[in-house]
Amino acid sequence: TCPQCHRSASLDQRGLRGFQRNRLLEAIVQRYQQGRAAAAAAAKCQLCDRSPPEPAAVLCEQCEVLYCSACQLRCHPARGPFAKHRLAPPPSHPGAPGGGGDGGGGKGAGGGRKLPTCAEHDLENYSMYCVSCRSPVCYQCLEEGKHSKHDVKALGAMWKQHKAQLSQALNGVSDKAKEAKEFLVQLKNLLQQIQENGLDYEACLVAQCDALVDALTRQKAKLLTKVTKEREHKLKVVWDQINHCTLKLRQSTGLMEYCLEVIKENDPSGFLQISDALIKRVQVSQEQWVKGALEPKVSAEFDLTLDSEPLLQSIHQLDFIQMKFPVSVPPVPLLQLEKCCTRNNSVTLAWRMPPLSHNPVEGYILELDDGDGGQFREVYVGKETLCTIDGLHFNSTYNARVKAFNSSGVGPYSKTVILQTSDVAWFTFDPSSAHRDIVLSNDNQTATCNSYDDRVVLGTAAFSKGVHYWELHVDRYDNHPDPAFGIARINVVKDMMLGKDDKAWAMYVDNNRSWFMHCNSHTNRTEGGVSKGATVGVLLDLNKHNLTFYINGQQQGPPAFENIEGVFMPALSLNRNVQVSLLQSSSTY
């Protein structure tokens, strides 16, 4: 009986030799033994003192000596005269695979091995395959033996057919093995995700429990404050009553002692002189002790009862939600007040979702009012949780709120945060929007240019209402250039003089005169130019919607432009012959 398949077989007179030999297994074992023999006969180090010598690691082509790793470091260092020697891998043994011997080649399908002969006819080789018996046979088996009437096919054809079937089956197994490897990678990633998520949930759980403890501690402090106030109130009432009663008692006792002394006198006329007044005083003193005057106004008991049973029950029932809820609208976002801030006339808001939120979030909607208590309007829609809004009014109070949304709808609004923009506008030159030829220095408060052509640079502030004034100092003025000072919109053309397009309003000056310019139209020529050390002032009055210029404190004609409305930024154009610095700025509303 076969110990593997547990099938029983009858033995003939040949005994165990009557079973078919597994020639494929024999061939595999033979190749394995040859490989081991080749490895044992591999090239050895020629300088080793050990017995047996270590396998060679390199061959020096100049010295023609085999070295192991230790002997190479000791006897053939890569320096000095040996530095230019070429070290190559040791040659393969002739009996090893690929070494040039007969073990790697051979003739026929057997690779040089003797062709197998028929088990029943020792002199015949297998040439056919019996499909019925599923075994190879020889010609003599077909003519004389039991296979004469069986379905037989050519041995080579069946060999190729079965090889193809095995290869096809192996492809399926290979695909499954590949899927199994990918699945193992997925499982390992899942292990890592479980570990990370477990740590995250532990941190969230600790944070939630700490928040509960903090809330309970704060509530405890509030309740203790109430008890303290109640105790102090009762003590004050009792002490006031003690002091009042002591005063009355002292007065009554004094009056009684006086009356007793008067009664002891034997002078009727003297007694009758004061008796009426004494009687009235005694009656008044008696009336002061009205009903309830000798009763405490407060009790020693505290009418405060803390109902903690529902909270204890909730704590005992506190547990994880194991079930999967259907997707609903997101919860209320939490504004991160420590990250919300204002800078000049810009506000930055940050928010996050509460921990352990089960509902997905696809985006957020940030709303802002008009800074004057008006209606909210959407200013941002997206997935980010940090947003900066520029170009707001100075000296204004804005209300902001945010809500989240997903495929199920829009969630509730967050709490409203109040943000106050700066009272006074302050700004520098903006390197991010300036022309690439503009050169800024002194913390972006000084500007010049690399080009002989006029280039534009804007300020970092934007104005939409109020009165704004700023001054610029001419640090350098060579070869009578025409710098231009004024205001512009954010999309002004920056590779030509300020005021040549419809996005800027400017005054350009030389060393003798100044002109106003907008849409390349020159107006109001005025005497008085600039030189090194001159000061140019710009007054933007968005309440009256006009623009006025000053040179060294002197107004250059009437207001340069009227009916100016919108959002504007301080602007300047200059070339390499001019350098200008910001001096000061101020704003009123």
Side-chain angles (χ1 to χ4, degrees):
T1 302
C2 176
Q4 297 296 327
C5 65
H6 304 290
R7 292 176 59 185
S8 297
S10 299
L11 301 177
D12 56 15
Q13 65 275 11
R14 294 176 296 175
L16 293 177
R17 292 192 303 274
F19 287 121
Q20 293 185 3
R21 299 175 64 183
N22 192 335
R23 289 182 299 277
L24 290 180
L25 181 59
E26 287 180 354
I28 293 173
V29 171
Q30 183 181 359
R31 287 201 303 270
Y32 173 72
Q33 292 175 342
Q34 290 177 351
R36 291 192 63 182
K44 303 293 183 179
C45 177
Q46 294 176 303
L47 296 180
C48 262
D49 297 331
R50 301 171 185 171
S51 181
E54 292 290 325
V58 294
L59 168 66
C60 178
E61 295 182 348
Q62 282 73 25
C63 302
E64 296 184 354
V65 177
L66 292 168
Y67 298 93
C68 65
S69 298
C71 291
Q72 177 200 350
L73 294 176
R74 185 175 69 253
C75 304
H76 198 288
R79 61 180 181 273
F82 297 110
K84 296 183 179 181
H85 285 202
R86 184 175 182 274
L87 300 179
S92 300
H93 190 270
D102 295 337
K107 299 179 181 179
R113 296 188 300 272
K114 182 180 178 181
L115 293 176
T117 57
C118 179
E120 298 181 359
H121 308 94
D122 296 337
L123 300 179
E124 297 291 337
N125 295 328
Y126 290 118
S127 58
M128 303 296 289
Y129 180 80
C130 179
V131 179
S132 302
C133 299
R134 296 184 179 180
S135 64
V137 295
C138 65
Y139 281 106
Q140 198 168 350
C141 292
L142 297 179
E143 294 178 358
E144 302 175 358
K146 58 183 179 180
H147 305 283
S148 58
K149 296 183 179 181
H150 291 179
D151 182 16
V152 294
K153 291 187 178 180
L155 184 65
M158 292 303 297
W159 174 54
K160 293 181 180 178
Q161 179 182 345
H162 281 217
K163 268 195 171 183
Q165 292 176 356
L166 180 60
S167 299
Q168 186 176 1
L170 283 177
N171 288 335
V173 175
S174 176
D175 293 340
K176 293 298 180 183
K178 183 178 179 181
E179 293 177 5
K181 289 181 180 178
E182 294 175 352
F183 180 62
L184 285 175
V185 173
Q186 181 182 354
L187 289 178
K188 291 180 181 178
N189 293 335
L190 184 60
L191 284 175
Q192 183 177 357
Q193 291 176 3
I194 290 174
Q195 183 71 13
E196 294 175 355
N197 290 342
L199 294 176
D200 291 342
Y201 269 77
E202 287 178 2
C204 289
L205 177 62
V206 171
Q208 285 183 309
C209 291
D210 289 345
L212 291 176
V213 173
D214 291 342
L216 187 60
T217 302
R218 289 193 298 270
Q219 193 63 24
K220 171 187 172 183
K222 290 181 182 179
L223 295 175
L224 287 175
T225 302
K226 288 184 179 180
V227 173
T228 302
K229 288 182 179 179
E230 183 69 14
R231 183 182 70 242
E232 292 176 351
H233 171 70
K234 286 179 178 289
L235 291 175
K236 183 177 183 303
V237 171
V238 172
W239 275 112
D240 290 345
Q241 199 170 7
I242 288 173
N243 294 332
H244 185 67
C245 186
T246 301
L247 178 61
K248 285 186 177 181
L249 181 60
R250 187 181 298 117
Q251 292 173 351
S252 299
T253 302
L255 181 60
M256 285 190 298
E257 291 176 352
Y258 178 67
C259 291
L260 289 175
E261 293 298 327
V262 170
I263 290 175
K264 292 179 183 180
E265 294 293 330
N266 294 324
D267 184 3
S269 59
F271 178 81
L272 291 175
Q273 284 180 346
I274 63 173
S275 59
D276 289 337
L278 283 176
I279 292 171
K280 288 182 179 180
R281 286 181 61 187
V282 170
Q283 289 175 347
V284 171
S285 178
Q286 184 179 1
E287 291 174 355
Q288 289 180 351
W289 301 98
V290 295
K291 183 179 180 181
L294 299 179
E295 296 178 358
K297 293 183 179 180
V298 294
S299 65
E301 302 296 331
F302 283 74
D303 298 331
L304 300 174
T305 302
L306 181 62
D307 185 13
S308 60
E309 186 61 31
L311 180 58
L312 289 174
Q313 186 176 0
S314 298
I315 292 176
H316 292 150
Q317 294 176 351
L318 188 64
D319 200 353
F320 295 106
I321 301 175
Q322 299 292 344
M323 64 185 67
K324 290 283 187 178
F325 289 99
V327 176
S328 58
V329 297
V332 179
L334 302 177
L335 286 167
Q336 296 181 278
L337 300 180
E338 68 277 5
K339 296 183 179 180
C340 297
C341 61
T342 61
R343 183 182 182 276
N344 231 358
N345 61 337
S346 300
V347 298
T348 299
L349 295 109
W351 59 90
R352 63 178 177 85
M353 295 305 295
L356 299 182
S357 176
H358 298 284
N359 297 323
V361 176
E362 296 180 5
Y364 302 92
I365 300 174
L366 177 63
E367 296 183 357
L368 205 69
D369 68 359
D370 60 356
D372 197 23
Q375 297 293 323
F376 282 91
R377 69 187 192 281
E378 292 184 2
V379 294
Y380 171 75
V381 177
K383 295 182 179 181
E384 299 296 328
T385 57
L386 183 71
C387 182
T388 299
I389 302 99
D390 300 315
L392 302 177
H393 299 314
F394 286 90
N395 194 27
S396 300
T397 301
Y398 286 89
N399 296 284
R401 62 188 184 184
V402 64
K403 58 185 177 181
F405 64 87
N406 59 18
S407 57
S408 297
V410 180
Y413 283 106
S414 67
K415 293 183 178 179
T416 300
V417 62
I418 300 174
L419 298 166
Q420 173 74 37
T421 54
S422 301
D423 295 337
V424 176
W426 59 273
F427 63 89
T428 61
F429 293 121
D430 185 10
S432 62
S433 63
H435 192 278
R436 62 179 178 273
D437 292 337
I438 293 291
V439 179
L440 301 180
S441 59
N442 188 25
D443 293 331
N444 297 330
Q445 297 184 71
T446 300
T448 185
C449 185
N450 285 330
S451 173
Y452 285 107
D453 297 321
D454 291 306
R455 302 296 188 230
V456 173
V457 59
L458 302 178
T460 55
F463 307 127
S464 58
K465 71 174 185 177
V467 180
H468 308 275
Y469 176 79
W470 59 95
E471 287 185 350
L472 303 103
H473 182 265
V474 181
D475 302 330
R476 180 169 52 82
Y477 187 82
D478 303 327
N479 302 321
H480 309 302
D482 298 330
F485 308 84
I487 60 174
R489 302 193 190 276
I490 186 65
N491 56 344
V492 64
V493 178
K494 298 184 177 68
D495 58 357
M496 60 185 182
M497 181 183 289
L498 192 70
K500 286 196 172 184
D501 64 355
D502 61 346
K503 303 296 190 301
W505 294 256
M507 174 189 71
Y508 73 95
V509 294
D510 60 16
N511 60 326
N512 293 318
R513 295 169 294 276
S514 66
W515 293 265
F516 301 152
M517 185 163 63
H518 173 63
C519 291
N520 204 25
S521 173
H522 308 252
T523 59
N524 291 80
R525 171 179 167 178
T526 305
E527 296 299 321
V530 296
S531 59
K532 179 180 178 180
T535 300
V536 177
V538 181
L539 177 62
L540 174 62
D541 189 343
L542 290 171
N543 295 334
K544 296 181 180 179
H545 307 290
N546 59 34
L547 182 65
T548 307
F549 296 98
Y550 300 83
I551 297 180
N552 295 326
Q554 298 295 321
Q555 181 174 336
Q556 297 298 103
F561 302 101
E562 303 284 349
N563 302 321
I564 296 179
E565 293 184 359
V567 179
F568 305 97
M569 308 177 77
L572 164 72
S573 70
L574 71 174
N575 63 16
R576 65 182 305 164
N577 292 317
V578 187
Q579 179 174 300
V580 174
S581 294
L582 285 168
L583 285 182
Q584 64 178 359
S585 63
S586 62
S587 304
T588 59
Y589 295 87

